[in-house]
Amino acid sequence: PPPPPPPPAPTPLKCPTGTRVDIVAVDGDNGSCDCDDFCASDWSGMLKTARPHWVGAASAVPGSTTKCQCVQGSKWCPRKAGVGCGDTCGDAPPTPTDFCVPDEGSVPRQSPVAAVAFPVQFVEAPVMIERKGVYYALFGHCCCFCYQGSGMFVFSAPHPLGPWTQQPGRADLGCIANMSTPTPAEIHSLPLTAFPQPGQGCIYAGAKAASITRAQQNFVVEVPSPTTKEIDFVWTGDRWMQSPDGIKGHEPQTWTRLSFDTEGHVLPLVWMDEIEVDV
């Protein structure tokens, strides 16, 4: 049978009093609009908006403010807060109220798309800390048990909801450019089966770099000092595939101090053979 005709292009929407149309502040989309891909893989239990990419249409209608909808077979699947795409599929096209959210008035609205707030690709293991009224988000490139370790990107904001700004200067504070990580075989250590995994951590996207800590961030410990009354920050990371006996539960960690300059900028990570904190 011939394929069904594509859904009609969306039209501008008007919301009831006290609500507004949920829109995206930047050009872009969240991929192809189908339930198996777009809704299932990107769904995280929160409202995510995108310029509409309707199945069968090449692009959105310019100036449209409608939320992206998914079409699964002949079913329309509006995305709503708190439920998955498949739970909202129905025969009838969505109504304007499917795209309306409460008007938050003067509360600053941040983009719900993480890639807009934090424009660094392929990242994981985030940590958020607060220091002297400034919030910091720290994370590095994905490192799936990668031997070579990862780095650390730093964003800061006056509030947990943003706006978030990447720290100026050197982008990755945990990787050293133009360096390489030797394998255990090259330095005559164990386990001999360990080797840097391509495309992970400090060598993401073909980069030539080595991790300062040979670890992937897992936490930042806040230690109140009884002497200075200040907070010491201890960065901790997992040293994947570096247990001499090859047992994952025996893999070590790196602990090092997280330091700041006088302007509140996070300084690059440093290797410390020993670390002392005042408790």
Side-chain angles (χ1 to χ4, degrees):
T11 57
L13 299 169
K14 292 184 179 181
C15 290
T17 302
T19 64
R20 58 172 173 74
V21 174
D22 204 1
I23 62 173
V24 162
V26 297
D27 290 330
D29 62 78
N30 281 334
S32 61
C33 197
D34 62 87
C35 280
D36 288 338
D37 182 8
F38 177 74
C39 283
S41 64
D42 283 326
W43 185 254
S44 62
M46 61 180 286
L47 277 175
K48 283 192 174 183
T49 58
R51 299 199 183 278
H53 280 238
W54 304 78
V55 171
S59 61
V61 175
S64 174
T65 55
T66 183
K67 194 180 304 179
C68 183
Q69 297 294 298
C70 299
V71 179
Q72 189 175 42
S74 61
K75 303 288 187 180
W76 293 79
C77 307
R79 291 156 58 86
K80 297 181 180 180
V83 294
C85 176
D87 298 327
T88 63
C89 293
D91 294 316
T95 64
T97 55
D98 287 320
F99 308 101
C100 299
V101 295
D103 191 348
E104 297 155 345
S106 60
V107 177
R109 231 183 106 64
Q110 306 306 318
S111 169
V113 182
V116 175
F118 304 103
V120 181
Q121 302 298 314
F122 195 63
V123 297
E124 64 179 358
V127 171
M128 181 186 291
I129 61 173
E130 183 271 333
R131 177 181 182 270
K132 298 183 178 181
V134 178
Y135 292 84
Y136 297 85
L138 320 174
F139 47 81
H141 286 307
C142 293
C143 177
C144 185
F145 301 147
C146 70
Y147 167 77
Q148 66 268 26
S150 192
M152 182 180 70
F153 297 92
V154 177
F155 287 74
S156 63
H159 188 277
L161 296 181
W164 290 93
T165 303
Q166 187 166 8
Q167 180 172 292
R170 177 176 160 185
D172 194 327
L173 302 180
C175 296
I176 305 175
N178 300 314
M179 298 289 289
S180 61
T181 301
T183 66
E186 292 171 334
I187 59 177
H188 307 291
S189 67
L190 297 174
L192 294 177
T193 55
F195 61 91
Q197 280 79 13
Q200 301 277 321
C202 287
I203 56 175
Y204 167 67
K208 183 180 180 182
S211 172
I212 296 169
T213 62
R214 290 184 62 185
Q216 180 187 23
Q217 172 179 281
N218 62 33
F219 200 60
V220 173
V221 183
E222 299 185 12
V223 184
S225 171
T227 303
T228 65
K229 308 303 180 183
E230 297 283 341
I231 300 292
D232 285 330
F233 295 89
V234 179
W235 184 95
T236 66
D238 292 301
R239 294 178 59 180
W240 304 121
M241 299 181 66
Q242 296 178 50
S243 58
D245 57 9
I247 298 176
K248 180 156 290 295
H250 295 172
E251 288 174 341
Q253 291 191 350
T254 294
W255 287 31
T256 188
R257 193 179 302 278
L258 191 68
S259 301
F260 300 80
D261 66 16
T262 56
E263 296 181 351
H265 296 145
V266 178
L267 296 176
L269 293 173
V270 296
W271 177 273
M272 303 179 71
D273 290 334
E274 295 182 351
I275 181 172
E276 294 183 4
V277 292
D278 183 9
V279 295

